């Protein structure tokens, strides 16, 4: 799993578009536009970080409507239209608030599991894990109680480094 090559989820696409608008389009001439844009960015960042709730969804819908009213130029109108379409176009924002990133691109909402049937107990995943989130010991043939590899969810930040090194394909995303 590589976040750079993955398809971005709807909240991340909306965030990218808003940040691009804020950095390279928004002039700030009409005050409601930058205020609504900033609030939308902060709210989506909360949702992506796994801290969003129903109130954030309601706030985002309200801010999107405010942005439509505030827009006084084609760039502003386009930003407002894109955000509104993103919100209406899928259930992904709701899914994120429920703790699931359907595309697996939000690290805070991504969890992995090691399939013991596929795991060869090589230890490569534990070696690359930057969070020291994988427990287990390499396989020793004469031991009857080999310590299988498992992921400690609370430590894992969903970076996907373990998936990339597992030649057995034993690590899968859990949604
Ligand atoms: S709506 Fe257009 S004119 Fe108004 S602040 Fe935004 S970018 Fe500027
Ligand atoms: S890299 Fe894959 S096969 Fe090796 S210990 Fe980790 S999960 Fe098991
Ligand atoms: S996803 Fe990243 S942090 Fe989580 S167990 Fe794998 S390597 Fe460690």
């Amino acid at each position: 799993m590589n976040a750079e090559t993955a398809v971005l989820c709807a909240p991340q696409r909306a965030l990218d578009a808003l940040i691009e608008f804020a950095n390279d389009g928004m002039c700030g001439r009409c005050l409601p536009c930058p205020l609504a844009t900033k609030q939308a960015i902060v709210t989506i960042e909360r949702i992506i970080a796994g801290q969003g709730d129903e109130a954030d969804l309601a706030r985002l819908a309200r801010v999107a409507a405010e942005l439509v009213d505030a827009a006084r130029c084609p760039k502003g109108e386009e930003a407002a239209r894109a955000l509104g379409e993103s919100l209406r176009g899928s259930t992904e924002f709701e899914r994120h608030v429920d703790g699931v990133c359907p595309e697996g691109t939000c690290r805070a909402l991504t969890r992995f599991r090691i399939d013991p049937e596929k795991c060869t107990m090589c230890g490569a995943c534990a070696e690359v894990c930057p969070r020291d989130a994988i427990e287990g010991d390499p396989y020793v043939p004469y031991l009857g109680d080999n310590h299988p590899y498992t992921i400690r969810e609370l430590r894992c930040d969903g970076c996907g480094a373990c998936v990339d090194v597992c030649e057995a394909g034993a690590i899968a995303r859990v949604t």
Side-chain angles (χ1 to χ4, degrees), residues 112 129-131 134 151 156-162:
F112 293 101
C129 177
R131 305 267 304 165
I134 302 179
I151 293 175
C156 173
D157 72 358
C159 71
C162 53

Side-chain angles (χ1 to χ4, degrees), residues 65-151:
E66 286 172 4
L67 200 51
V68 170
D69 290 340
R72 295 284 179 268
C73 73
K75 279 189 174 176
E77 286 166 9
E78 169 60 21
R81 187 194 58 74
L83 178 59
E85 284 181 2
S86 179
L87 287 172
R88 289 188 300 274
S90 79
T91 58
E92 286 196 26
F93 285 85
E94 288 85 350
R95 299 280 317 273
H96 279 68
V97 167
D98 290 339
V100 176
C101 172
E103 298 292 351
T105 49
C106 291
R107 283 171 62 159
L109 298 174
T110 301
R111 296 289 172 267
F112 293 101
R113 180 179 168 274
I114 295 175
D115 181 346
E117 299 292 324
K118 292 183 179 173
C119 177
T120 60
M121 301 183 75
C122 69
C125 54
E127 282 176 26
V128 298
C129 177
R131 305 267 304 165
D132 201 18
I134 302 179
E135 292 182 327
D137 294 316
Y139 180 70
V140 180
Y142 54 80
L143 279 184
D145 59 347
N146 283 283
H147 183 190
Y149 284 87
T150 54
I151 293 175

